[in-house]
Coordinates of all heavy atoms in Angstrom, one line a residue:
Q1 N 0.8 -1.2 -0.1 CA 0.0 0.0 0.0 C 0.9 1.2 0.0 O 0.6 2.3 -0.6 CB -0.9 0.0 1.2 CG -2.0 -1.1 1.2 CD -3.0 -1.0 2.3 OE1 -2.8 -0.2 3.2 NE2 -4.1 -1.8 2.3
Q2 N 2.0 1.1 0.7 CA 2.8 2.4 0.7 C 3.5 2.6 -0.7 O 3.6 3.8 -1.1 CB 4.0 2.2 1.7 CG 3.5 2.3 3.2 CD 4.7 2.1 4.2 OE1 5.7 1.7 3.7 NE2 4.4 2.4 5.5
G3 N 3.9 1.6 -1.3 CA 4.4 1.7 -2.7 C 3.3 2.2 -3.8 O 3.6 3.1 -4.5
I4 N 2.1 1.7 -3.5 CA 1.0 2.3 -4.4 C 0.8 3.8 -4.1 O 0.6 4.6 -5.0 CB -0.3 1.5 -4.2 CG1 -0.1 0.1 -4.7 CG2 -1.5 2.2 -4.9 CD1 0.1 0.0 -6.2
F5 N 0.8 4.1 -2.8 CA 0.7 5.6 -2.4 C 1.8 6.5 -2.9 O 1.4 7.4 -3.6 CB 0.6 5.7 -0.9 CG 0.8 7.1 -0.4 CD1 -0.4 7.9 -0.4 CD2 1.9 7.6 0.1 CE1 -0.4 9.2 0.0 CE2 2.0 9.0 0.5 CZ 0.8 9.8 0.5
Y6 N 3.0 6.0 -2.9 CA 4.1 6.8 -3.5 C 4.0 6.9 -5.0 O 4.2 8.0 -5.6 CB 5.5 6.3 -3.0 CG 5.8 6.5 -1.7 CD1 6.0 5.5 -0.7 CD2 5.9 7.9 -1.1 CE1 6.4 5.8 0.7 CE2 6.2 8.1 0.2 CZ 6.3 7.0 1.1 OH 6.6 7.3 2.4
L7 N 3.6 5.9 -5.7 CA 3.3 5.9 -7.0 C 2.3 6.9 -7.6 O 2.5 7.6 -8.4 CB 3.1 4.4 -7.6 CG 2.8 4.3 -9.0 CD1 4.0 4.7 -9.8 CD2 2.5 2.8 -9.5
L8 N 1.1 6.7 -6.9 CA 0.0 7.7 -7.2 C 0.3 9.0 -6.8 O 0.0 10.1 -7.5 CB -1.2 7.2 -6.5 CG -1.8 5.9 -6.9 CD1 -3.1 5.5 -6.0 CD2 -2.4 6.1 -8.4
A9 N 1.1 9.3 -5.7 CA 1.4 10.7 -5.3 C 2.4 11.3 -6.3 O 2.2 12.4 -6.7 CB 2.0 10.6 -3.9
A10 N 3.4 10.5 -6.7 CA 4.4 11.1 -7.7 C 3.7 11.4 -9.0 O 3.9 12.3 -9.7 CB 5.4 10.1 -8.0
Q11 N 2.7 10.5 -9.4 CA 1.9 10.6 -10.6 C 1.1 11.9 -10.5 O 1.0 12.7 -11.6 CB 1.0 9.3 -11.0 CG 0.3 9.4 -12.2 CD -0.5 8.1 -12.4 OE1 0.1 7.2 -12.2 NE2 -1.6 8.3 -13.0
L12 N 0.5 12.1 -9.4 CA -0.4 13.3 -9.2 C 0.4 14.6 -9.3 O 0.0 15.5 -9.9 CB -1.1 13.1 -7.8 CG -2.2 14.2 -7.5 CD1 -3.3 13.6 -6.7 CD2 -1.6 15.4 -6.7
V13 N 1.5 14.6 -8.5 CA 2.4 15.9 -8.7 C 2.9 16.1 -10.1 O 2.9 17.3 -10.6 CB 3.6 15.7 -7.6 CG1 4.6 16.8 -7.8 CG2 3.1 15.6 -6.3
F14 N 3.3 15.1 -10.8 CA 3.8 15.2 -12.2 C 2.7 15.7 -13.0 O 3.0 16.7 -13.8 CB 4.3 13.9 -12.7 CG 4.6 13.9 -14.2 CD1 5.8 14.5 -14.7 CD2 3.8 13.2 -15.1 CE1 5.9 14.5 -16.1 CE2 4.0 13.3 -16.4 CZ 5.0 13.9 -16.9
A15 N 1.5 15.1 -12.9 CA 0.4 15.5 -13.8 C 0.0 17.0 -13.4 O -0.4 17.8 -14.4 CB -0.8 14.7 -13.6
A16 N 0.0 17.4 -12.1 CA -0.4 18.7 -11.8 C 0.5 19.8 -12.2 O 0.3 20.8 -12.7 CB -0.5 18.9 -10.3
A17 N 2.0 19.4 -12.2 CA 3.0 20.3 -12.9 C 2.8 20.4 -14.4 O 3.0 21.5 -14.9 CB 4.3 19.8 -12.4
M18 N 2.4 19.4 -15.0 CA 2.2 19.5 -16.4 C 1.0 20.2 -16.9 O 1.0 20.8 -17.9 CB 2.2 18.0 -17.1 CG 3.5 17.2 -16.9 SD 4.8 18.0 -17.9 CE 4.2 17.8 -19.5
V19 N -0.1 20.3 -16.0 CA -1.2 21.0 -16.3 C -0.8 22.5 -16.4 O -1.3 23.3 -17.4 CB -2.3 20.9 -15.2 CG1 -3.4 21.9 -15.2 CG2 -2.9 19.5 -15.2
I20 N 0.1 23.0 -15.6 CA 0.4 24.5 -15.6 C 1.6 24.9 -16.5 O 1.9 26.0 -16.7 CB 0.6 25.0 -14.2 CG1 1.7 24.2 -13.5 CG2 -0.7 24.9 -13.4 CD1 2.1 24.8 -12.1
T21 N 2.3 23.8 -16.9 CA 3.5 24.1 -17.7 C 3.3 23.8 -19.2 O 4.0 24.4 -20.0 CB 4.7 23.3 -17.3 OG1 4.4 22.0 -17.1 CG2 5.1 23.8 -15.9
V22 N 2.4 22.9 -19.5 CA 2.3 22.5 -20.9 C 1.5 23.6 -21.7 O 0.7 24.4 -21.0 CB 1.4 21.2 -21.1 CG1 0.0 21.4 -20.8 CG2 1.5 20.6 -22.4
R23 N 1.8 23.8 -23.0 CA 1.3 25.0 -23.6 C 0.1 24.7 -24.4 O -0.8 25.6 -24.5 CB 2.4 25.3 -24.8 CG 3.7 25.9 -24.1 CD 3.7 27.1 -23.2 NE 4.9 27.4 -22.5 CZ 5.8 28.1 -23.1 NH1 5.6 28.6 -24.4 NH2 6.9 28.5 -22.5
N24 N -0.2 23.5 -24.7 CA -1.4 23.1 -25.5 C -2.6 23.0 -24.4 O -2.4 22.2 -23.6 CB -1.2 21.9 -26.2 CG -2.3 21.5 -27.3 OD1 -3.3 22.2 -27.2 ND2 -2.0 20.6 -28.1
P25 N -3.7 23.7 -24.7 CA -4.7 23.6 -23.6 C -5.4 22.2 -23.6 O -5.9 21.8 -22.6 CB -5.8 24.7 -24.0 CG -5.4 25.0 -25.3 CD -3.9 24.7 -25.7
V26 N -5.6 21.5 -24.7 CA -6.1 20.2 -24.7 C -5.2 19.3 -24.0 O -5.8 18.5 -23.2 CB -6.3 19.7 -26.3 CG1 -6.9 18.3 -26.2 CG2 -7.2 20.7 -26.9
K27 N -3.9 19.3 -24.1 CA -3.1 18.5 -23.3 C -3.1 18.8 -21.9 O -3.0 17.8 -21.0 CB -1.5 18.5 -23.9 CG -1.4 18.0 -25.2 CD 0.1 18.1 -25.6 CE 0.2 17.5 -27.1 NZ 1.7 17.7 -27.6
A28 N -3.2 20.1 -21.4 CA -3.4 20.5 -20.1 C -4.7 19.9 -19.6 O -4.6 19.4 -18.3 CB -3.4 22.0 -20.0
A29 N -5.7 19.9 -20.3 CA -7.0 19.4 -19.7 C -6.8 17.9 -19.6 O -7.3 17.3 -18.6 CB -8.2 19.7 -20.7
L30 N -6.2 17.1 -20.5 CA -5.9 15.7 -20.3 C -5.1 15.4 -19.1 O -5.3 14.3 -18.4 CB -5.3 15.1 -21.6 CG -6.3 15.2 -22.8 CD1 -5.6 14.7 -24.1 CD2 -7.5 14.3 -22.6
F31 N -4.1 16.2 -18.9 CA -3.2 16.0 -17.7 C -4.0 16.3 -16.4 O -3.7 15.6 -15.4 CB -2.0 16.9 -17.7 CG -0.8 16.3 -18.4 CD1 -0.4 17.0 -19.7 CD2 -0.2 15.2 -18.1 CE1 0.6 16.4 -20.5 CE2 0.9 14.6 -18.7 CZ 1.3 15.3 -19.9
L32 N -5.0 17.3 -16.5 CA -5.8 17.4 -15.3 C -6.7 16.3 -15.1 O -7.0 15.9 -14.0 CB -6.7 18.7 -15.6 CG -7.5 19.2 -14.5 CD1 -6.7 19.5 -13.3 CD2 -8.3 20.4 -14.8
V33 N -7.1 15.5 -16.1 CA -7.9 14.2 -16.0 C -7.0 13.3 -15.3 O -7.4 12.6 -14.3 CB -8.4 13.8 -17.3 CG1 -8.9 12.3 -17.2 CG2 -9.4 14.6 -17.9
L34 N -5.8 13.1 -15.6 CA -4.9 12.3 -15.0 C -4.6 12.5 -13.6 O -4.5 11.7 -12.6 CB -3.5 12.2 -15.7 CG -2.4 11.3 -15.2 CD1 -2.9 9.8 -15.2 CD2 -1.1 11.5 -15.9
T35 N -4.6 13.9 -13.2 CA -4.5 14.4 -11.8 C -5.7 13.9 -11.1 O -5.7 13.4 -9.8 CB -4.4 15.9 -11.7 OG1 -3.3 16.4 -12.6 CG2 -4.2 16.3 -10.5
F36 N -6.9 14.0 -11.6 CA -8.1 13.7 -10.8 C -8.1 12.1 -10.7 O -8.6 11.7 -9.6 CB -9.4 14.1 -11.6 CG -9.7 15.6 -11.5 CD1 -10.2 16.3 -12.6 CD2 -9.3 16.3 -10.4 CE1 -10.5 17.5 -12.6 CE2 -9.5 17.7 -10.5 CZ -10.0 18.3 -11.6
V37 N -7.7 11.3 -11.6 CA -7.7 9.9 -11.4 C -6.7 9.5 -10.4 O -7.0 8.6 -9.5 CB -7.4 9.2 -12.8 CG1 -7.3 7.8 -12.6 CG2 -8.6 9.6 -13.8

């Protein structure tokens, strides 16, 4: 469970960072979907 937690937390932080750094708004919305998941 700790491994799954760290994996999901790293994925969430990466996706949230990509939402505000990516230039394409469609890709930003898709990264936001990954953040919510």
Side-chain angles (χ1 to χ4, degrees):
Q1 290 185 352
Q2 289 179 350
I4 295 296
F5 170 78
Y6 287 121
L7 178 63
L8 289 175
Q11 182 177 327
L12 189 145
V13 172
F14 169 75
M18 292 300 293
V19 168
I20 60 175
T21 56
V22 74
R23 302 295 177 87
N24 194 344
V26 177
K27 292 181 180 179
L30 292 176
F31 275 114
L32 190 57
V33 170
L34 181 60
T35 304
F36 288 148
V37 172

